[in-house]
Amino acid sequence: MKSSRGLALTTLSVFAVLMASSVYARPARQNNGPGLLSEDSPLYAKLQEATEHFSCEGGTCAFVLSDQTGENGTCVPPEIPRIPGNKNPTMQQFCEYHQHNPASQWDMPFKHSYPLSTTVPNGNLIGCIVGNNLFAQEARLLPGWQGKGYNANTGVFTNLVQLGLLNDTTSYPGSFYPDWDPVEGVSWKLDYSTQSNIPLIGGVIDYIVDRLMPGRYIRNMGGFEDHMRELAPGVWMGQVYTLPYMLSWDLALGNPTPFMINVGVPF
């Protein structure tokens, strides 16, 4: 068990790696040109209403697609943050290291990534579940999870699952948009909730599907809500919350309380 001082040092080292390295310096973008979010996207109007929550050069927000941040809208592969004893780890090495450390070490980097960057999730973001607590270990039992795929033109995301020859890019879909963070400020909300729109009884059906059914078996995770921020260019982090009165037995006992609960599963 780590002492509180050791945890603090670990947290600070993660924060320093993400924020201090010059590799994450990104040039300012003009409010036009390739790589920018289309005004036809359903996200565009929501972002314009939330500009005060984004870090915008000169007060003007140019929202750039995460897979087109380079010159002329080219994709710039992110550099994987270093880990102790390894300045250039592979994705697997990075994940394995942080899967043996407390999930709480990511709280400070997440908090200090507000106001948000003007990068809009788009394309496939490959990742892993980190943290050494019970819920993180249980979440890693979901076989084949590779990350999430985003379509900024539609505001829809899915989870990426690969098992052998099976490459499923449509698992556990939902919508994403900027919204109030459960703790502080604004973050990118990943909304899994069902919206059947059935007259009179639609709300009841949605609640049963989202909050009472074992989501992993019906390909629905409506009892959960993710909140995500870009910690540094190309490096994103999400936190998982259970919604109030979520009684599904996914992730241990669910959430029988009237509050949203961070389950401690950073990804």
Side-chain angles (χ1 to χ4, degrees):
M1 181 178 294
K2 291 195 175 197
S3 67
S4 58
R5 180 185 178 189
L7 176 57
L9 291 175
T10 301
T11 302
L12 287 172
S13 67
V14 170
F15 183 70
V17 166
L18 291 171
M19 299 303 177
S21 177
S22 61
V23 72
Y24 294 122
R26 175 178 289 168
R29 294 290 294 271
Q30 299 298 318
N31 197 28
N32 53 54
L36 296 179
L37 178 69
S38 170
E39 294 184 11
D40 295 330
S41 167
L43 296 174
Y44 187 84
K46 294 180 180 179
L47 288 169
Q48 296 305 314
E49 294 173 357
T51 54
E52 63 185 286
H53 302 289
F54 289 81
S55 180
C56 303
E57 292 288 338
T60 301
C61 292
F63 292 102
V64 185
L65 301 178
S66 64
D67 60 345
Q68 301 177 38
T69 59
E71 186 177 357
N72 297 320
T74 56
C75 181
V76 179
E79 183 170 323
I80 299 173
R82 65 180 183 269
I83 58 177
N86 190 343
K87 293 183 178 180
N88 299 293
T90 63
M91 186 69 176
Q92 181 178 353
Q93 291 170 332
F94 177 86
C95 291
E96 289 178 349
Y97 174 78
H98 286 291
Q99 286 169 355
H100 291 86
N101 287 292
S104 55
Q105 71 175 358
W106 294 99
D107 290 346
M108 183 184 293
F110 190 87
K111 178 179 179 180
H112 285 271
S113 295
Y114 176 80
L116 306 180
S117 74
T118 54
T119 309
V120 180
N122 193 55
N124 292 345
L125 299 184
I126 306 302
C128 60
I129 297 168
V130 295
N132 62 358
N133 58 66
L134 172 63
F135 292 135
Q137 294 178 33
E138 183 177 358
R140 285 195 286 270
L141 294 178
L142 184 66
W145 188 82
Q146 302 291 309
K148 297 180 185 290
Y150 299 84
N151 187 334
N153 290 323
T154 61
V156 172
F157 77 92
T158 60
N159 283 267
L160 309 176
V161 176
Q162 185 169 8
L163 285 172
L165 297 178
L166 174 64
N167 186 21
D168 187 355
T169 61
T170 63
S171 294
Y172 309 105
S175 57
F176 68 101
Y177 46 87
D179 201 0
W180 294 108
D181 186 80
V183 177
E184 181 180 20
V186 166
S187 56
W188 285 95
K189 176 179 176 179
L190 277 57
D191 184 355
Y192 293 91
S193 62
T194 301
Q195 297 182 8
S196 63
N197 297 317
I198 299 176
L200 299 179
I201 62 172
V204 175
I205 292 177
D206 294 347
Y207 177 83
I208 293 174
V209 172
D210 287 342
R211 311 290 177 94
L212 303 182
M213 301 289 286
R216 71 180 68 178
Y217 297 108
I218 62 172
R219 295 173 63 84
N220 171 63
M221 299 297 281
F224 298 91
E225 184 176 290
D226 300 340
H227 284 263
M228 188 173 69
R229 291 175 178 172
E230 187 182 35
L231 304 188
V235 181
W236 294 78
M237 176 198 163
Q239 300 198 33
V240 182
Y241 289 82
T242 55
L243 298 180
Y245 306 116
M246 195 281 283
L247 304 181
S248 165
W249 45 272
D250 282 328
L251 281 182
L253 300 179
N255 177 17
T257 77
F259 310 103
M260 289 182 64
I261 295 179
N262 187 333
V263 298
V265 183
F267 60 88

